[in-house]
């Protein structure tokens, strides 16, 4: 006698556009903060293997920590204004392009490991930008608030997507 196996797993619920954007922003903020702290605290130790001069490591670390704070603040907004989502896309795209320039143009005396570090970093940063684009476009296609402005101020916003009721939060103030 055979008994059908059951895993008890529930079917996956599709991730809403606001949830995808918020999760991406949070992950980006945390990873940016960690790398910024590593560049600040370990700049002398990682400088030689990467070929990254200490002043550049400190500047990158400070910039990354500041960027992480901004990303975290955007992710906390309920709802997230679509303009801030598109700003994150733009900034991440520019940062990814800058990392590729640093990897392939002799601006810094990067070692092979340093160039690989920059290319991998550009791919990660570009990946976050791609996640944001998917979330913002998904919201626009579904008729979400990011797709059209429904408020007198003309602001485009994404709902919170946190509840199962399907209701979106109204913008504050």
């Amino acid at each position: 006698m055979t008994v059908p196996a059951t895993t008890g797993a529930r079917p996956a619920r599709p991730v809403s556009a606001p949830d995808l954007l918020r999760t991406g922003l949070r992950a980006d903020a945390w990873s940016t903060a960690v790398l910024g702290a590593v560049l600040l605290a370990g700049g002398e130790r990682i400088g030689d293997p990467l070929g990254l001069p200490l002043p550049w490591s400190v500047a990158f670390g400070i910039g990354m920590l500041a960027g992480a704070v901004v990303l975290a603040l955007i992710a906390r907004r309920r709802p997230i204004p679509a303009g801030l989502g598109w700003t994150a896309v733009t900034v991440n795209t520019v940062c990814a392009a800058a990392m590729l320039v640093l990897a392939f143009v002799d601006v810094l005396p990067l070692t092979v490991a340093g160039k690989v570090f920059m290319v991998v970093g550009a791919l990660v940063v570009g990946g976050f930008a791609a996640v944001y684009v998917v979330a913002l476009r998904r919201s626009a296609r579904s008729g979400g608030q990011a797709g059209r402005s429904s408020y007198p101020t003309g602001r485009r916003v994404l709902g919170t997507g946190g509840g199962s009721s399907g209701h979106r939060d109204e913008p504050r103030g």
Side-chain angles (χ1 to χ4, degrees):
M1 175 171 143
T2 57
V3 177
T6 59
T7 62
R10 297 179 192 169
R13 178 179 71 115
V15 177
S16 70
D19 286 343
L20 179 61
L21 180 60
R22 189 174 316 285
T23 300
L25 287 164
R26 286 178 179 158
D28 194 357
W30 277 106
S31 62
T32 301
V34 168
L35 186 55
V38 167
L39 287 172
L40 276 175
E44 290 180 354
R45 290 187 177 160
I46 63 174
D48 285 340
L50 298 179
L52 186 63
L54 183 60
W56 282 80
S57 180
V58 169
F60 286 157
I62 291 170
M64 292 180 81
L65 289 175
V69 169
V70 171
L71 289 166
L73 289 173
I74 293 171
R76 290 180 51 103
R77 298 279 305 260
R78 292 197 184 265
I80 298 172
L84 291 179
W86 287 111
T87 299
V89 170
T90 302
V91 171
N92 275 24
T93 302
V94 168
C95 288
M99 292 172 86
L100 290 173
V101 167
L102 290 174
F104 295 111
V105 177
D106 289 331
V107 176
L108 296 172
L110 296 175
T111 63
V112 171
K115 291 178 181 191
V116 169
F117 178 78
M118 289 292 179
V119 170
V120 170
L123 292 172
V124 170
V125 171
F128 280 120
V131 168
Y132 305 155
V133 168
V134 168
L136 292 162
R137 286 187 177 167
R138 184 184 295 172
S139 180
R141 273 196 305 266
S142 69
Q145 294 172 336
R148 58 194 148 123
S149 176
S150 58
Y151 299 104
T153 60
R155 291 188 311 177
R156 295 178 180 189
V157 295
L158 289 170
T160 61
S164 60
S165 66
H167 296 289
R168 290 185 171 82
D169 289 346
E170 294 296 319
R172 294 182 184 165

